[in-house]
Amino acid sequence: MAKPRSLGIKNFFCVCIFTITIYHAVLPSTENTYTTDYSKRLLDSVPKILPAETVVLDLSQNRISELWTSDFNYLSELHKLKLAHNFIRYLNFSIFQHNKNLEYLDLSHNKLWTISCHPLTRLHHLNLSYNSNLSMSMLSEFGKMLKLDYLALSLRRIQKSDFSVLAHLQLDTLFLDLEDLSEYHAENQLVFNTTNLQIALPSNKDFHIVSNLDPSAIVGLELSNMHDNDVNDLKALLGKFNKNVMLRNLTLSHMKTTLANVVYLFQNIRKTSTEHFSIYYLSISQLHQDFTFPNYAETSLRSLTIEHLKIMETAFDQQKMYRLFSELNIPAVTLSHANAIHMLCPLEPSHFIYLNLAYNAITDRLFRVCENLNRLETLVLQRNQFKTLMKVGLMTHHMRSLKYLDMSQNLLQHGIHEKDCHWGEKLVELNLSSNLLSDSVFHCLPVNIQKLDLQNNQISSIPNTTVELRALEELNLASNRLTDLPGCGQFRSLRLLNTEMNSIVKPSSQFYHTCQSIGQVKAEHNPFMCSCEIREFIDLRKQGLVVLVGWPESYLCEYPEDVRGIELQDFHVSELVCNTTLLVAIVLVIIGVLVAIISFLCIYLDISWYLKMMWQWTQVKHRVWKNNPEDILDNMEFHAFISYSEHDSDWVKNVLIPNLEKEDGSIRICQHERNFIAGKTIVENIIDCIEKSYRSIFVLSPNFVQSEWCHYELYFAHHKLFQEKNNSLILLLLEPIPTHIIPARYHKLKALMAKRTYLEWPDEKSKQGLFWANLRAAVHVKLLCSEEIAELQI
Ligand SMILES: *[C@@H]1O[C@H](CO)[C@@H](O)[C@H](O)[C@H]1NC(C)=O
């Protein structure tokens, strides 16, 4: 099927010229086009409320049959209106009179029957093709659309004067679909005022459109739907061409013809001014015919493109066919989608600069030792049957000028044990995407490579033993099996790294350390693990060291479950959780502060003294609670006996006893001076006193320790303690006793002192209340718990 198509768009030489001219004519000048797309919605009419700022409105492929002024009059910004593939039958151009900016109107593939012509003088692009009921006479007003540079029409009838309507237009491109042409009176030549002419030729073979064309002003001619007689007409037309006509691009499509005719075209096109010759969908028959190879000396032809070649015979001389192409002595040749299984090395040094053999079935045997492709700079072998990377390297080895090689979509592999690879020295860009390559590919790469595409292979990591690729600037590893971002150790110049759609869970530190100078990283769509490690990656971006393409919407957490689907950007984890050193430091600081506070309290407020007192108080209370209260002081005369040094007697008599002995007599104290029984020795009196008392209170002070007497008293008390297993001993420390002043032989006393099981006399008034309370409570106690006995036994 013929379609309006920019001429030779697939051809690398004319792409620039044509896209520029056509797009310049078509595109609105606005940069950010506000597009409203309502295509393929089964709409019966234009939606009533459309965004007023719409610049491009797409309503194609619906069921709209009628258009009204009110459909569009409020869209003052409307530049481009696409209404292709609808059921519109009638159109009055005046409905667009309010759309002052409308420049592009596509009404192709509708049912237009009548057009009422209100010339839209600002229109640049008007497509009315595939409305087969329109005739030129209906379009009489079109001649006034002076700005028009693209016009497409389908015609069933052509009368002699028809095209005079278009005489005043300066078209860039005119597309005429004449497929259903049924009436044609060709008295004169068909003269068109257009730079590019595209014609879908009639199915009716009797109309000789081609031979009636006046080619003089046409730069690009595109003919589709060519039958053999059209080819003969074209041959006749080419005969009229000379080097002075303007034709530069000739495109033929959907052409069926014989090999002899193709050779004739090849042979004769070179004599014209044509620079780019393309044939799409070519079917060749009668291959047995003999032919002489065309000679391309002194030709203006720059490129020949043949895409979708079909050979209608099974038995023919393959070599001869290949030779027809390999000897084409022009800079750019494309032979794609042609089922070729081979191509021959040119016999003479070739003029090929660009050779495209994509979409064939060519194997590793191509150009094995081919010395005649010295000028070749670009070689495209996309989608063929190449299997061995090493052989591809060897193929390029002789191509001294080769810069760009596309080997994508083949079956390439590289065995780890294969010999060294040799590549063309100038090779800087290599496309190895969509092959079967694994990690070992890095042992077989051109050393001067700058741009390397390895996407969609089976690479899981870059081996550390890879040779350094100093010139490599762009590396594409998308859609592989990487589990980590690679380091840049071997690629010092890397500017762009693409690792999207791999299995990268957390980028390792090797990447951060070696890739600091990288510009852009694409790492979208990886199953990122959002944990502490990922922060380094995010920080890299924050610090401006890398630009992450697609950030933030394409970078999502995959693990752990609870954060799945959130953007990496929104993933936060505190510094404390991630930084162990910081955590330890903080814990240590807190402990330090606590210790300091406690020490402070202990030193300045003597908390430890209070605590000790409270502890003793509770111990005492605990014992009272455990013991049987009836037993209290049953056969004892006194609650306590007090032993003290003579030097401390003032304190004992004036402070201790008055505080302990309450007036109600509930606590009775045996004091050896006071309760002295005449006739007994002092020792007997003391023993008597101890035996009659449940408690023996010893007032300890340096004086006490030095007094021999006291030690005896202590001894007795202690002795009793062993006999009755009764802890009746209360030590009361009146003044601190430095250990060194305790004579060595008093080891019992030393042991007791070391145990610190004594009550300290506080100097501060505030603490003394608690001291007395504690002491009184202790005196009330009768029995001892076994642990305390054990303690004292030491
Ligand atoms: C490599 O080839 C593939 C198709 O085969 C294409 O999509 C990709 O853009 C090419 N890479 C480069 C860098 O041109």
Side-chain angles (χ1 to χ4, degrees):
M1 194 187 72
K3 283 185 299 204
R5 164 149 47 93
S6 71
L7 286 172
I9 199 91
K10 288 174 187 164
N11 179 307
F12 100 118
F13 270 111
C14 32
V15 163
C16 328
I17 311 165
F18 279 87
T19 46
I20 289 168
T21 45
I22 290 172
Y23 275 72
H24 182 71
V26 162
L27 275 187
S29 48
T30 29
E31 283 285 287
N32 294 322
T33 44
Y34 191 103
T35 302
T36 304
D37 187 352
Y38 272 100
S39 60
K40 301 183 199 165
R41 304 281 178 97
L42 304 175
L43 298 174
D44 291 320
S45 58
V46 179
K48 285 297 157 227
I49 301 158
L50 294 165
E53 60 270 48
T54 300
V55 174
V56 178
L57 176 58
D58 190 349
L59 292 164
S60 50
Q61 306 194 53
N62 283 296
R63 298 163 169 180
I64 301 168
S65 57
E66 276 183 298
L67 301 177
W68 304 97
T69 308
S70 57
D71 290 338
F72 307 106
N73 61 2
Y74 61 100
L75 301 175
S76 56
E77 301 296 320
L78 192 65
H79 238 102
K80 203 169 187 178
L81 178 57
K82 300 179 184 178
L83 281 160
H85 294 274
N86 276 288
F87 299 136
I88 302 166
R89 302 177 65 83
Y90 169 78
L91 183 69
N92 185 345
F93 274 88
S94 66
I95 64 165
F96 299 118
Q97 62 191 335
H98 302 288
N99 306 104
K100 297 276 185 256
N101 288 311
L102 189 66
E103 289 187 349
Y104 180 112
L105 186 55
D106 184 356
L107 285 158
S108 60
H109 297 275
N110 273 282
K111 307 262 180 254
L112 282 176
W113 190 265
T114 34
I115 284 187
S116 101
C117 237
H118 168 97
L120 292 176
T121 49
R122 53 202 174 271
L123 220 52
H124 282 270
H125 180 112
L126 178 60
N127 190 344
L128 293 169
S129 59
Y130 302 98
N131 286 281
S132 46
N133 293 315
L134 288 182
S135 71
M136 275 318 282
S137 56
M138 287 180 213
L139 308 174
S140 54
E141 294 291 301
F142 278 22
K144 293 179 187 161
M145 298 196 190
L146 290 176
K147 288 204 173 147
L148 214 56
D149 41 35
Y150 178 93
L151 179 62
L153 297 168
S154 292
L155 297 175
R156 283 188 165 178
R157 282 182 301 280
I158 298 181
Q159 258 122 31
K160 195 190 159 207
S161 60
D162 270 358
F163 294 114
S164 60
V165 170
L166 307 178
H168 301 294
L169 302 181
Q170 293 283 330
L171 290 173
D172 179 79
T173 301
L174 173 64
F175 169 64
L176 291 177
D177 159 40
L178 306 177
E179 260 186 280
D180 297 325
L181 194 70
S182 57
E183 201 183 320
Y184 174 53
H185 303 288
E187 289 94 11
N188 271 326
Q189 277 199 319
L190 294 167
V191 185
F192 298 106
N193 206 356
T194 179
T195 313
N196 297 293
L197 178 63
Q198 304 170 351
I199 302 180
L201 293 168
S203 313
N204 187 331
K205 294 175 187 172
D206 300 332
F207 302 141
H208 294 271
I209 301 287
V210 175
S211 52
N212 270 338
L213 285 176
D214 171 9
S216 52
I218 293 168
V219 175
L221 177 62
E222 183 170 336
L223 301 171
S224 70
N225 199 17
M226 291 195 66
H227 297 287
D228 224 15
N229 52 347
D230 295 320
V231 177
N232 287 328
D233 288 351
L234 182 64
K235 280 159 74 177
L237 188 70
L238 284 182
K240 288 192 241 167
F241 281 35
N242 53 37
K243 294 262 180 199
N244 298 326
V245 296
M246 300 181 73
L247 192 73
R248 295 289 176 271
N249 308 293
L250 178 62
T251 303
L252 309 175
S253 66
H254 296 88
M255 177 159 103
K256 290 191 183 79
T257 190
T258 62
L259 181 60
N261 272 342
V262 173
V263 175
Y264 181 93
L265 288 177
F266 281 13
Q267 177 69 31
N268 285 280
I269 202 91
R270 69 180 178 89
K271 296 175 189 160
T272 71
S273 55
T274 307
E275 290 174 1
H276 307 291
F277 180 33
S278 312
I279 310 178
Y280 301 104
Y281 298 95
L282 171 65
S283 305
I284 313 183
S285 55
Q286 298 181 36
L287 277 92
H288 56 274
Q289 288 174 333
D290 210 18
F291 59 87
T292 45
F293 287 107
N295 175 358
Y296 293 96
E298 290 177 45
T299 176
S300 2
L301 202 59
R302 312 295 305 149
S303 79
L304 173 77
T305 301
I306 296 186
E307 271 183 30
H308 296 278
L309 170 67
K310 201 165 170 189
I311 290 177
M312 307 304 281
E313 274 158 39
T314 46
F316 63 94
D317 183 352
Q318 295 242 5
Q319 294 281 323
K320 210 166 173 187
M321 277 300 283
Y322 294 138
R323 191 61 72 204
L324 183 61
F325 287 98
S326 68
E327 300 313 310
L328 284 168
N329 225 349
I330 49 178
V333 169
T334 298
L335 175 66
S336 73
H337 297 86
N339 276 317
I341 53 170
H342 197 53
M343 183 49 65
L344 298 172
C345 179
L347 296 170
E348 306 271 308
S350 165
H351 286 234
F352 287 156
I353 292 175
Y354 173 96
L355 182 58
N356 184 341
L357 298 170
Y359 289 85
N360 283 296
I362 300 170
T363 66
D364 293 341
R365 291 169 50 236
L366 184 75
F367 301 145
R368 273 172 106 172
V369 184
C370 184
E371 308 268 0
N372 285 335
L373 289 168
N374 281 339
R375 295 198 195 177
L376 192 63
E377 290 178 9
T378 302
L379 177 57
V380 179
L381 293 168
Q382 185 189 16
R383 185 70 86 86
N384 274 287
Q385 303 282 331
F386 289 86
K387 288 186 177 148
T388 317
L389 187 60
M390 198 186 70
K391 289 183 183 165
V392 172
L394 274 178
M395 172 186 77
T396 66
H397 194 48
H398 303 282
M399 301 176 180
R400 307 252 155 78
S401 311
L402 191 69
K403 290 185 189 145
Y404 175 85
L405 175 64
D406 185 349
M407 294 301 309
S408 61
Q409 302 184 53
N410 276 281
L411 306 165
L412 288 173
Q413 281 180 307
H414 181 66
I416 235 166
H417 302 296
E418 252 156 332
K419 287 177 287 174
D420 287 352
C421 293
H422 300 279
W423 292 87
E425 274 182 12
K426 292 259 175 73
L427 198 58
V428 289
E429 212 177 317
L430 179 57
N431 194 339
L432 292 172
S433 66
S434 303
N435 277 286
L436 305 171
L437 295 161
S438 61
D439 302 3
S440 57
V441 64
F442 287 96
H443 297 300
C444 182
L445 289 172
V447 282
N448 296 323
I449 197 78
Q450 290 171 6
K451 210 169 159 187
L452 179 60
D453 192 339
L454 279 167
Q455 64 174 307
N456 197 20
N457 277 285
Q458 297 166 7
I459 298 164
S460 56
S461 68
I462 299 180
N464 287 331
T465 50
T466 306
V467 281
E468 217 177 303
L469 300 175
R470 281 166 207 260
L472 190 65
E473 293 178 358
E474 292 183 22
L475 176 59
N476 190 343
L477 289 166
S479 303
N480 273 282
R481 299 171 181 176
L482 294 175
T483 51
D484 191 1
L485 279 175
C488 304
Q490 288 108 330
F491 324 116
R492 306 268 177 79
S493 317
L494 204 61
R495 282 187 295 107
L496 196 152
L497 174 66
N498 187 342
T499 57
E500 58 183 342
M501 291 193 266
N502 275 277
S503 309
I504 300 171
V505 176
K506 40 188 169 185
S508 73
S509 55
Q510 202 203 355
F511 173 75
Y512 310 123
H513 295 146
T514 58
C515 300
Q516 301 259 322
S517 58
I518 204 165
Q520 282 192 0
V521 176
K522 293 182 79 161
E524 301 127 295
H525 308 292
N526 274 292
F528 290 111
M529 164 85 125
C530 285
S531 61
C532 292
E533 287 96 329
I534 207 81
R535 295 175 327 141
E536 252 186 297
F537 182 65
I538 300 171
D539 287 348
L540 220 56
R541 198 201 132 264
K542 275 195 202 141
Q543 292 158 15
L545 292 176
V546 296
V547 174
L548 290 177
V549 180
W551 183 272
E553 65 279 356
S554 305
Y555 294 78
L556 307 179
C557 298
E558 181 72 22
Y559 309 109
E561 293 272 328
D562 55 322
V563 292
R564 177 167 298 167
I566 75 161
E567 288 177 4
L568 250 55
Q569 173 178 250
D570 300 329
F571 173 74
H572 300 292
V573 56
S574 79
E575 183 66 32
L576 211 56
V577 175
C578 296
N579 191 337
T580 333
T581 327
L582 186 68
L583 183 65
V584 169
I586 287 182
V587 168
L588 287 181
V589 166
I590 290 174
I591 292 176
V593 167
L594 281 178
V595 167
I597 291 173
I598 291 169
S599 313
F600 173 85
L601 289 175
C602 291
I603 291 165
Y604 288 93
L605 303 172
D606 218 351
I607 294 293
S608 60
W609 186 89
Y610 283 101
L611 288 176
K612 207 159 79 190
M613 282 315 222
M614 293 304 289
W615 171 248
Q616 280 166 348
W617 166 270
T618 51
Q619 288 299 96
V620 167
K621 286 291 165 198
H622 180 68
R623 266 180 251 144
V624 169
W625 173 77
K626 268 175 82 177
N627 294 339
N628 191 348
E630 270 98 80
D631 292 346
I632 292 174
L633 300 181
D634 233 10
N635 43 21
M636 289 292 157
E637 234 172 279
F638 301 102
H639 283 88
F641 156 72
I642 301 180
S643 165
Y644 54 92
S645 159
E646 232 6 81
H647 298 275
D648 303 324
S649 63
D650 272 357
W651 180 79
V652 172
K653 286 173 193 159
N654 300 328
V655 181
L656 178 62
I657 296 176
N659 271 296
L660 215 50
E661 268 188 333
K662 283 286 166 75
E663 273 134 41
D664 62 358
S666 61
I667 293 179
R668 280 162 286 139
I669 304 288
C670 182
Q671 196 192 353
H672 65 91
E673 287 165 25
R674 199 169 62 183
N675 304 83
F676 207 79
I677 299 164
K680 288 194 177 175
T681 63
I682 292 171
V683 176
E684 279 173 332
N685 265 308
I686 289 172
I687 292 171
D688 196 43
C689 233
I690 289 173
E691 278 172 356
K692 285 180 181 161
S693 310
Y694 265 94
R695 294 283 189 238
S696 302
I697 300 174
F698 287 83
V699 181
L700 300 182
S701 68
N703 302 323
F704 180 90
V705 172
Q706 272 144 20
S707 141
E708 198 70 34
W709 263 112
C710 301
H711 184 239
Y712 275 119
E713 289 167 347
L714 185 63
Y715 175 74
F716 297 136
H718 205 193
H719 193 66
K720 182 189 171 203
L721 196 123
F722 286 117
Q723 284 176 340
E724 298 175 14
K725 292 194 179 279
N726 186 349
N727 183 12
S728 59
L729 194 64
I730 296 173
L731 297 182
L732 206 159
L733 191 66
L734 186 59
E735 280 171 51
I737 307 172
T739 14
H740 63 87
I741 71 159
I742 304 175
R745 58 186 182 283
Y746 300 173
H747 37 265
K748 292 269 182 218
L749 179 62
K750 273 193 169 175
L752 285 169
M753 292 291 292
K755 285 259 145 208
R756 295 185 143 257
T757 52
Y758 45 76
L759 288 169
E760 261 173 282
W761 167 247
D763 286 330
E764 300 93 324
K765 268 234 141 47
S766 58
K767 293 178 178 177
Q768 289 173 0
L770 189 55
F771 175 86
W772 293 127
N774 233 342
L775 188 59
R776 267 182 232 123
V779 167
H780 263 109
V781 175
K782 192 185 78 180
L783 293 171
L784 271 179
C785 3
S786 47
E787 306 102 70
E788 281 174 320
I789 297 165
E791 261 178 26
L792 288 169
Q793 277 170 341
I794 299 163

